[in-house]
Amino acid sequence: MQTSAVKVENIAFMHIKGTSATKEAIKFACSDDYPCEGLYLEDIDLVSSSGGMTKSFCWEAYGSSSGLVNPPACFPC
């Protein structure tokens, strides 16, 4: 089975505050063939709606962050 993919690049997520219904409040699940590149996170604060900790998940996602980013960005260095 073959799946299709779209190239995602140069997208900024800025000044986002709220609650997440899932543990993975930030999730970038990108393609092996077309990784997400140039992602940018700034001033993000996502807390769990159930009171627990949130986390981020990255698969083939590359970018940078600045300022407060909660949960911390998962981009590789």
Side-chain angles (χ1 to χ4, degrees), residues 1 12 18-19 21-22 26 28 31 34 37 39-40 47 51 53-54 57 59 62 65-66 68 70 74:
M1 177 181 199
T19 57
T22 63
I26 297 174
F28 295 111
S31 166
Y34 300 101
E37 297 176 321
L39 301 175
Y40 178 71
V47 297
M53 299 287 292
T54 57
F57 172 83
W59 181 265
Y62 305 93
S65 63
S66 178
L68 171 72
N70 178 51
C74 53

Side-chain angles (χ1 to χ4, degrees), residues 6-19:
V6 174
K7 178 74 174 166
V8 174
E9 60 186 354
N10 301 325
I11 297 178
F13 299 88
M14 300 169 63
H15 312 295
I16 300 171
K17 296 187 186 330
T19 57

